[in-house]
Amino acid sequence: MKRRTFLTHVAAALPLTAFPNINFNHYRFSPFSYAEYSRRAVDLVQRSVVVDMLNQFSMPGEELSGWLDNPSTFEASVQKYRDSGVDAFALGHSARDRNDGLNFFTRWNRFIAAIPNFVRRIDKSSDLDYVNRNGLTGIILTFQDSRHFETLDDVAMFYKFGQRLSQLTYNYKNQIGSGAFDNEDNGLTDYGRKVVAKMNEVGMCVDLSHCSDRTTLEAIELSTRPPIITHANCRALNAGNPRTKTDEMIKNLAAKGGLFGVAEIRFMVRGSEPVTVEHFLDHYDHLIKLVGVEHAGIGTDFDLDTDDGRVPFEERKQMFADTTNERFRKYRMHSNDKFLIGVEGINHPKRIFDIVEGFIRRGYSDESIEMILGKNFSRVVSATWK
């Protein structure tokens, strides 16, 4: 059964008495899960176009390689993706160079073409509505680095391959500009300025999530189309963390019509323990009070299963034990006694429902929630994609 049809039956067609666990209008919307959500939350997710602007879909590994090599094997996981409530996933991978990028997107395009009854590549804003109406899983081809733009002509070539968004730099500098972890922030290079202009010209979204402060500000100023910060946090609530953005950056982004997605990584949400869902929601409150709800979006920075659900406890424990690692220091990593990477309560496949429940607790209107879930993203890409 298609996700939209299934949720519609649950949220509207079936009486509450049909569900075994009822608690003040909260009920289980899936026979495969014991989680309970309000009718309002389920209905909001069902009718909204939900876009996760940075979701790994599945982290590189045996499972993903198996799907890309043999697309029919994805059928066993189709329902999990439909039940997640997310209509479209923007990939979070990156390429070493042009050839690696071409090979990667070739595999993805073959995967998508082989199973059109399950997935659809998102090329234009109307595709977002299509996957929501038809219960398909949308895939937005993106990269978290732009090293594969070895020449300016590569920008147009990758757009033709389906790439619709590219993060200018990852944590460290490339030929385009400086990254968030660089000790010296030199901003955009001359070539980087040309790349931003070319991305604007061909209609590819400019993502600034992992960019340095100066690169972020310069790219926002230079861009003639709405730039995006797909997954970051507000520095006003987590001072000093390089993977956060200042109020100045957020205001400048909004002035260009841009969009900001809030990440769920616990040490990006808050500088010390404890870290709760409420601290995560505080970033939305700050963002919306600063520039308005029309500039807020979803960008979880996880794949569907999350590191907490996919990485064994002992491996996570070892990750946090290695305090000499530069990544540990740069990210200012910390965790609780469960060694979680995400925020407990929104670190599972159906977390979009819990996020919506949080918005409801905070008093957000249905219209505002629908904007955050995907309407804002649709607006930005409509103004950018050709």
Side-chain angles (χ1 to χ4, degrees):
M1 182 180 290
K2 295 177 180 178
R3 182 180 69 83
R4 181 179 176 88
T5 304
F6 178 70
L7 291 178
T8 300
H9 278 305
V10 172
L14 292 179
L16 289 179
T17 53
F19 296 90
N21 295 322
I22 302 173
N23 181 20
F24 299 106
N25 204 32
H26 281 65
Y27 57 91
R28 289 165 53 190
F29 81 88
S30 171
F32 309 108
S33 172
Y34 287 99
E36 295 184 349
Y37 298 104
S38 67
R39 180 183 293 274
R40 181 183 172 194
V42 172
D43 184 58
L44 275 165
V45 173
Q46 175 267 316
R47 70 172 184 256
S48 300
V49 173
V50 182
V51 180
D52 192 336
M53 298 188 296
L54 195 286
N55 188 301
Q56 309 283 356
F57 191 76
S58 180
M59 290 291 291
E62 291 183 5
E63 183 178 51
L64 179 57
S65 292
W67 291 343
L68 296 181
D69 291 338
N70 187 1
S72 63
T73 59
F74 179 70
E75 185 172 357
S77 301
V78 166
Q79 198 59 49
K80 180 176 75 171
Y81 282 83
R82 288 176 175 170
D83 285 350
S84 73
V86 179
D87 292 298
F89 298 80
L91 304 183
H93 312 298
S94 62
R96 295 184 298 273
D97 51 35
R98 178 202 292 124
N99 287 337
D100 187 41
L102 291 173
N103 290 334
F104 185 78
F105 282 156
T106 296
R107 295 180 74 195
W108 270 100
N109 281 321
R110 287 173 176 168
F111 168 78
I112 294 167
I115 49 174
N117 292 333
F118 302 140
V119 299
R120 182 182 181 94
R121 195 177 81 182
I122 304 298
D123 289 333
K124 51 190 181 298
S125 59
S126 60
D127 290 335
L128 297 169
D129 295 310
Y130 184 89
V131 295
N132 177 266
R133 290 195 311 269
N134 292 280
L136 301 179
T137 295
I139 297 172
I140 309 171
L141 297 186
T142 73
F143 270 148
Q144 280 207 84
D145 202 331
S146 292
R147 289 176 293 177
H148 59 300
F149 295 152
E150 295 179 10
T151 70
L152 292 180
D153 289 340
D154 290 338
V155 178
M157 179 178 67
F158 274 94
Y159 189 88
K160 291 178 181 178
F161 260 71
Q163 186 180 2
R164 290 296 180 267
L165 181 149
S166 201
Q167 191 171 262
L168 296 185
T169 67
Y170 194 55
N171 287 327
Y172 294 96
K173 67 180 179 181
N174 58 19
Q175 74 275 28
I176 292 170
S178 298
F181 288 178
D182 283 324
N183 293 325
E184 186 175 354
D185 186 356
N186 294 314
L188 287 172
T189 64
D190 289 340
Y191 178 67
R193 292 176 178 276
K194 294 176 183 178
V195 167
V196 171
K198 193 67 174 179
M199 291 174 71
N200 288 164
E201 178 186 327
V202 305
M204 188 182 295
C205 288
V206 175
D207 182 7
L208 306 169
S209 301
H210 281 257
C211 293
S212 69
D213 289 2
R214 185 174 162 188
T215 300
T216 299
L217 287 167
E218 289 178 356
I220 292 172
E221 181 181 8
L222 182 64
S223 184
T224 57
R225 297 182 186 270
I228 300 182
I229 294 172
T230 58
H231 60 297
N233 296 82
C234 303
R235 194 168 300 172
L237 303 182
N238 191 2
N241 190 297
R243 280 288 286 109
T244 60
K245 303 295 182 180
T246 66
D247 286 358
E248 179 189 10
M249 297 175 202
I250 297 170
K251 289 178 180 178
N252 291 1
L253 182 86
K256 286 292 184 77
L259 189 58
F260 190 108
V262 177
E264 298 178 19
I265 308 297
R266 66 187 307 110
F267 35 86
M268 288 169 56
V269 170
R270 196 162 187 253
S272 61
E273 297 297 325
V275 185
T276 70
V277 175
E278 302 309 317
H279 295 121
F280 167 77
L281 294 170
D282 287 344
H283 285 264
Y284 278 101
D285 282 356
H286 179 81
L287 174 67
I288 291 167
K289 289 176 182 176
L290 190 66
V291 294
V293 71
E294 61 269 27
H295 302 291
I298 300 291
T300 64
D301 203 9
F302 275 126
D303 64 359
L304 193 58
D305 290 311
T306 80
D307 295 313
D308 298 334
R310 178 174 27 78
V311 181
F313 173 84
E314 289 299 328
E315 289 186 28
R316 300 198 310 271
K317 182 178 180 180
Q318 183 59 38
M319 181 188 301
F320 284 99
D322 186 11
T323 58
T324 61
N325 186 287
E326 184 179 27
R327 183 171 179 268
F328 186 103
R329 292 185 291 104
K330 293 289 188 178
Y331 266 112
R332 304 190 176 194
M333 292 172 64
H334 60 81
S335 190
N336 57 11
D337 56 3
K338 296 180 182 179
F339 298 101
L340 298 178
I341 299 168
V343 178
E344 196 165 19
I346 51 173
N347 58 347
H348 58 86
K350 293 185 177 65
R351 59 187 176 273
I352 199 68
F353 294 93
D354 296 274
I355 293 173
V356 170
E357 293 283 20
F359 292 151
I360 292 172
R361 287 197 305 275
R362 295 283 172 116
Y364 289 24
S365 68
D366 285 6
E367 181 182 8
S368 292
I369 295 172
E370 290 178 29
M371 291 172 70
I372 298 169
L373 291 177
K375 279 188 175 181
N376 290 337
F377 184 79
S378 294
R379 169 184 58 81
V380 167
V381 301
S382 293
T384 304
W385 295 350
K386 292 187 176 179

